[in-house]
């Protein structure tokens, strides 16, 4: 994937075997870049261009920006909805169809038994396998000691349930030690994720890192 930033005539190439970083020392420029990305993530127009194999991608569908790490949540609505949809399809496939219908019949029978002791002719119009799956409160476990491991698992969930995306982190190295960061980047590269780490100051360069720098005068150093 390529990320073109016309504000400074820079094209960042995320290639196999590398993890990209962008150091932006000019505060106003960093603000402009983040505003542009955020607008496009909301479906609005912007100047920054994301592409893959010479085809322009819609940023709102092909990119995620991580600007908050405390807390960092796995259970985002879009992912949970994807899991629910996947489970709903599984519930009615050849392997699970009989068991699903047995469960619905059992639940309806149980509720009818309860309603016998109540006044009125009570019915249950929403006992469907779709509604049962929605009602159980599906979510991913968020018990992590390591922020790096949590981010890696989130990337894997996005790839599995949503699509292949570029991930952009903002000042991630403020939260993760250099040693752990080195392991994190190695894992990112090994799994083939497209990651751009945007920072406002320099940290020691690590293995597999492809670094771009925009200094305070907006000069580009690669």
């Amino acid at each position: 994937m390529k990320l073109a930033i016309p504000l400074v005539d820079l094209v960042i190439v995320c290639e196999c075997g590398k993890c990209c970083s962008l150091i932006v020392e000019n505060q106003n420029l960093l603000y402009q870049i983040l505003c542009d990305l955020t607008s496009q993530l909301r479906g609005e127009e912007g100047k920054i261009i994301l592409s893959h194999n010479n085809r322009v991608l819609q940023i709102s569908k092909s990119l995620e920006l991580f600007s908050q790490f405390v807390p960092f949540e796995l259970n985002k609505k879009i992912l949970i909805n994807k899991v629910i949809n996947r489970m709903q399809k599984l519930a009615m496939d050849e392997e699970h169809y009989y068991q699903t219908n047995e469960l619905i019949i059992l639940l309806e029978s149980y509720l009818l038994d309860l309603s016998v002791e109540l006044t009125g002719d009570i019915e249950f119009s929403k006992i469907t396998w779709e509604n049962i799956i929605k009602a159980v409160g599906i979510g991913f476990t968020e018990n992590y000691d390591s922020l790096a491991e949590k981010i890696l698992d989130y990337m894997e969930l996005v790839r599995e349930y949503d699509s292949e995306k570029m991930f952009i982190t903002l000042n991630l190295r403020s939260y993760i030690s250099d040693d752990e960061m080195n392991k994190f980047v190695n894992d990112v590269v090994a799994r083939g994720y497209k990651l751009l780490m945007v920072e406002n100051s320099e940290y020691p360069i690590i293995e597999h890192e492809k670094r771009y720098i925009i200094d305070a005068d907006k000069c580009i150093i690669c």
Side-chain angles (χ1 to χ4, degrees):
M1 289 185 176
K2 295 180 181 179
L3 191 73
I5 306 175
L7 292 166
V8 285
D9 195 24
L10 173 64
V11 177
I12 296 171
V13 181
C14 289
E15 55 190 348
C16 293
K18 293 291 181 181
C19 176
C20 294
S21 67
L22 174 63
I23 315 300
V24 185
E25 297 177 350
N26 184 295
Q27 293 95 330
N28 184 58
L29 176 62
L30 178 59
Y31 175 72
Q32 291 180 60
I33 291 172
L34 294 173
C35 284
D36 189 295
L37 288 172
T38 301
S39 294
Q40 293 197 58
L41 287 168
R42 292 197 298 256
E44 302 169 6
E45 293 186 357
K47 297 179 180 179
I48 294 175
I49 299 171
L50 178 65
S51 64
H52 180 60
N53 292 334
N54 297 318
R55 182 172 65 90
V56 175
L57 302 176
Q58 193 172 339
I59 283 180
S60 61
K61 295 181 179 180
S62 303
L63 183 148
E64 290 208 27
L65 172 64
F66 303 153
S67 58
Q68 177 176 307
F69 298 104
V70 183
F72 181 82
E73 297 181 356
L74 294 181
N75 290 297
K76 296 187 179 181
K77 185 177 180 180
I78 187 170
L79 274 185
I80 298 302
N81 287 339
K82 296 282 186 180
V83 173
I84 289 172
N85 290 337
R86 188 82 63 89
M87 291 188 71
Q88 288 174 345
K89 290 178 181 178
L90 286 172
M92 295 306 291
D93 68 14
E94 186 176 351
E95 182 181 351
H96 301 96
Y97 180 81
Y98 179 75
Q99 187 179 3
T100 299
N101 282 288
E102 270 196 327
L103 176 62
I104 292 173
I105 293 169
L106 182 63
L107 178 59
E108 188 170 22
S109 175
Y110 172 71
L111 292 173
L112 285 171
D113 286 346
L114 291 179
S115 68
V116 167
E117 301 182 24
L118 304 175
T119 301
D121 186 11
I122 298 172
E123 64 177 3
F124 307 96
S125 61
K126 294 186 178 181
I127 301 180
T128 65
W129 46 272
E130 296 99 333
N131 289 335
I132 292 172
I133 290 173
K134 288 179 181 178
V136 297
I138 291 171
F140 300 107
T141 301
E142 301 219 32
N143 186 23
Y144 289 81
D145 294 325
S146 166
L147 173 60
E149 289 180 5
K150 193 172 188 180
I151 294 172
L152 282 169
D153 280 358
Y154 179 79
M155 291 177 174
E156 183 64 28
L157 292 172
V158 170
R159 173 184 280 177
E160 173 65 24
Y161 292 106
D162 194 355
S163 63
E164 195 75 34
K165 292 186 177 184
M166 172 183 277
F167 300 99
I168 297 181
T169 61
L170 177 61
N171 292 330
L172 177 60
R173 297 198 63 172
S174 299
Y175 300 88
I176 299 176
S177 69
D178 292 344
D179 288 342
E180 189 177 9
M181 198 72 204
N182 191 66
K183 183 180 182 304
F184 171 74
V185 168
N186 281 333
D187 287 338
V188 165
V189 170
R191 300 184 190 188
Y193 302 140
K194 303 297 186 294
L195 173 64
L196 172 62
M197 299 181 294
V198 177
E199 305 285 336
N200 61 4
S201 59
E202 285 194 70
Y203 288 84
I205 196 163
I206 53 184
E207 187 181 7
H208 303 301
E209 179 182 351
K210 182 179 181 181
R211 179 172 291 185
Y212 300 82
I213 300 173
I214 305 174
D215 68 14
D217 297 320
K218 299 184 182 180
C219 294
I220 299 172
I221 306 168
C222 296

